[in-house]
Amino acid sequence: MSDDSDDTGGERVVFAMLVGVTFGAALGTTVLQDISQGIVAGVVVGTLAALVFPAWTDRLYKTVTDKLEE
């Protein structure tokens, strides 16, 4: 991701969806015994988190991208 890119929030939402998928797959496997339901729940929760808590999602997104660029 370049610093001069025009971020309209789409990257933040996609990032939150991917984090949600990761945790949803783990939750679906261990608790629900159905990974597909966990993934769907993770996408929904991740998207809602990105929309409801944009500052927290931005901070987490910046932390992860900074660590990946090191």
Side-chain angles (χ1 to χ4, degrees):
M1 315 276 157
S2 64
D3 291 334
D4 59 349
S5 67
D6 186 45
D7 183 21
T8 60
E11 291 177 346
R12 177 176 37 91
V13 172
V14 171
F15 172 75
M17 290 171 75
L18 290 173
V19 171
V21 165
T22 304
F23 286 110
L27 175 74
T29 302
T30 57
V31 176
L32 301 173
Q33 301 299 317
D34 184 11
I35 193 167
S36 61
Q37 288 181 354
I39 289 172
V40 170
V43 168
V44 170
V45 170
T47 304
L48 289 176
L51 297 174
V52 174
F53 304 109
W56 176 81
T57 309
D58 283 338
R59 188 173 53 235
L60 183 62
Y61 176 74
K62 288 178 184 175
T63 302
V64 170
T65 55
D66 289 344
K67 292 293 181 184
L68 290 174
E69 290 176 357
E70 288 182 354

